[in-house]
Amino acid sequence: MKWLIVFDNLDEDKIIANYWPSGAPGSVIVTTRDPLVKEEKAPSEQDVKVPPLKQHHAVALLRKRLPKYLCSEESDETLSRVVDVLGCWPLAIVQMAGKMRRLKQTPTKFLLAYGKEYERHRYHRSLELHQDGYDLSFTSIWNLNDLDPHVAALLSVISLLSPDAIPEFVLEDEDENAGSSNYPSGHYYVWTISELEKSSTVNRTTSARLSEITIHSLIQEVVRSQLLEDEARFVQAFKTVVRLLMAKWPHETKPTTNWREYAKVSRWERCNLLLPHLSHVRKMFELLYKKTKASAIFEGYLYMLNEVSWHHYLKQNFDEALEYVQFTLATLDLVSGWYPQIRAGQYGTWASIAKERNQPQLAREKMSQSFEINQDIYNE
């Protein structure tokens, strides 16, 4: 007689040790988010990773969850764009369909609102799930409200980075006395990242060359929505992620005892690994209100902007370099400190860009501004 046993949503593989069958003809199905369970219990050919819905199935689910007056005139192309931004995840589709019903919002209007980062925060913050007949949310599924403080601090930092290809060496913090008191340092990091991997909140890939972390952008958005409800937490996570990135960046413009080594083109490989995350952190900074931005700015962030503008210039990405120069100078205007070295550096970079673009008058003007600030530094 054949049999079937199902272990559903298994979080701890140890609990099934006394129930795992042996020597009898039958089948076992285990559903879990812990990648280690499948490695220990299932041969690779029997391992099935559940993918998101296919796009046409996701569109059908969205139409089913919306009343006709909201979607009868909406094209499949528009609904396809909605399910794509939701990753074709059934839970996300059900949740956002409920929100559209509550707001009497068409998919077209939803796309316009959801395309703005701060509006996405509002959607994830104020879901009325029980009234829509579905009692699960991203927060409850990943247990985000009950995380260990060290795990929560690590996840907050990850939520501010680009979701793809996060070099794990960025997250490994050797300084146990710096930054957030809850951020896991040293050997404690290994435990915290394994907790996030165990729940499939993050995915971890390791090769001989590099270990990388990826996280779904929807999970990031939910975590950021929680951070933005308490901007002090957001600022703390922001300062921690900047400190971590700057600790691993091969500095060019910041004074260093090993200047010639850092001036080499060979440093660019690491710069290219970090640059998408530095750019993403700048984008996250823009989410803050002006008053909160001032409290988030510190010397490390200004040096980060300084580094990125100069790196773009060295690689002859002059449009990007000028954008960062102007953004850095505007950021400096938000704080009371003068930071003369950084100001002088930005005007110098601007002069170099103008020179490359054959704008001699502008190059002379910006170089004069840089020279005047440097002269004041020397006189002091």
Side-chain angles (χ1 to χ4, degrees):
M1 179 177 177
K2 292 187 176 181
W3 46 263
L4 171 66
I5 298 178
V6 179
F7 297 98
D8 188 32
N9 196 25
L10 183 66
D11 292 328
E12 292 285 348
D13 63 324
K14 295 178 182 179
I15 67 176
I16 63 172
N18 295 328
Y19 305 98
W20 194 262
S22 60
S27 300
V28 179
I29 295 177
V30 178
T31 66
T32 182
R33 287 177 293 167
D34 187 349
L36 291 180
V37 172
K38 67 181 182 181
E39 293 177 9
E40 295 179 5
K41 298 297 183 184
S44 58
E45 65 273 9
Q46 296 178 357
D47 169 20
V48 178
K49 184 175 182 179
V50 180
L53 291 176
K54 292 183 178 179
Q55 189 185 69
H56 65 281
H57 289 151
V59 168
L61 175 61
L62 181 59
R63 282 198 183 276
K64 181 178 179 181
R65 301 293 300 191
L66 290 175
K68 288 184 178 180
Y69 73 89
L70 287 180
C71 66
S72 60
E73 297 183 5
E74 298 282 347
S75 66
D76 280 348
E77 180 182 356
T78 299
L79 268 62
S80 295
R81 289 171 57 202
V82 172
V83 298
D84 283 345
V85 300
L86 298 176
C88 288
W89 281 13
L91 176 59
I93 294 169
V94 169
Q95 287 189 344
M96 294 307 163
K99 191 64 178 178
M100 283 184 259
R101 289 199 307 272
R102 190 66 50 194
L103 297 174
K104 294 181 171 56
Q105 188 177 54
T106 66
T108 297
K109 291 182 178 179
F110 168 80
L111 284 171
L112 290 173
Y114 199 76
K116 302 172 183 177
E117 173 82 27
Y118 214 93
E119 287 299 314
R120 290 201 294 275
H121 152 58
R122 297 179 190 278
Y123 279 90
H124 291 295
R125 180 183 61 184
S126 56
L127 290 169
E128 300 172 18
L129 301 173
H130 296 282
Q131 295 183 36
D132 291 317
Y134 205 76
D135 60 356
L136 294 177
S137 68
F138 286 118
T139 301
S140 61
I141 282 180
W142 278 282
N143 201 29
L144 297 181
N145 289 332
D146 298 311
L147 292 175
D148 174 270
H150 301 283
V151 178
L154 177 58
L155 184 57
S156 296
V157 163
I158 293 174
S159 76
L160 300 183
L161 295 166
S162 179
D164 301 317
I166 303 171
E168 193 165 7
F169 66 77
V170 170
L171 302 173
E172 295 169 341
D173 186 13
E174 294 88 7
D175 189 351
E176 299 188 6
N177 299 313
S180 168
S181 59
N182 285 329
Y183 191 82
S185 302
H187 68 278
Y188 203 55
Y189 165 81
V190 177
W191 177 83
T192 53
I193 194 65
S194 67
E195 286 295 302
L196 292 176
E197 187 183 16
K198 179 180 178 181
S199 62
S200 290
T201 306
V202 303
N203 294 314
R204 197 179 186 191
T205 57
T206 304
S207 67
R209 176 178 169 271
L210 186 67
S211 179
E212 292 181 333
I213 302 294
T214 59
I215 182 172
H216 199 286
S217 59
L218 277 173
I219 301 176
Q220 285 187 309
E221 288 166 9
V222 174
V223 175
R224 288 199 299 268
S225 74
Q226 293 183 325
L227 289 177
L228 286 168
E229 290 179 3
D230 181 358
E231 290 200 338
R233 283 181 59 210
F234 191 105
V235 168
Q236 180 64 72
F238 175 82
K239 289 184 175 182
T240 301
V241 75
V242 170
R243 179 180 61 79
L244 291 169
L245 285 166
M246 285 293 90
K248 304 301 167 57
W249 178 270
H251 294 281
E252 175 74 58
T253 60
K254 190 175 181 179
T256 174
T257 58
N258 200 12
W259 176 268
R260 291 185 179 180
E261 181 65 27
Y262 284 127
K264 291 182 178 179
V265 174
S266 58
R267 63 190 283 278
W268 286 7
E269 181 179 3
R270 171 164 285 207
C271 292
N272 291 337
L273 284 173
L274 299 179
L275 197 58
H277 304 289
L278 293 167
S279 299
H280 202 266
V281 167
R282 174 192 156 183
K283 180 182 175 183
M284 296 299 100
F285 176 78
E286 290 297 283
L287 298 179
L288 299 171
Y289 292 114
K290 184 175 181 180
K291 182 179 179 181
T292 311
K293 284 180 180 177
S295 65
I297 297 169
F298 68 112
E299 188 177 40
Y301 180 56
L302 297 172
Y303 270 124
M304 184 194 90
L305 298 175
N306 203 34
E307 288 284 342
V308 175
S309 64
W310 184 247
H311 180 69
H312 278 305
Y313 168 75
L314 289 177
K315 298 194 71 175
Q316 299 187 332
N317 299 327
F318 299 134
D319 288 342
E320 292 86 347
L322 182 56
E323 180 187 349
Y324 265 92
V325 166
Q326 294 171 335
F327 178 81
T328 305
L329 291 172
T331 302
L332 284 165
D333 291 339
L334 296 175
V335 293
S336 57
W338 179 241
Y339 296 101
Q341 289 183 328
I342 295 175
R343 287 183 185 272
Q346 291 303 289
Y347 284 123
T349 301
W350 197 340
S352 299
I353 296 169
K355 181 180 176 182
E356 293 289 343
R357 288 179 163 177
N358 197 25
Q359 298 171 313
Q361 185 173 349
L362 181 61
R364 186 164 50 251
E365 174 191 336
K366 299 305 174 185
M367 187 53 71
S368 295
Q369 289 176 287
S370 177
F371 178 78
E372 288 174 6
I373 296 173
N374 279 319
Q375 193 173 42
D376 290 340
I377 295 173
Y378 179 78
N379 290 336
E380 290 178 0

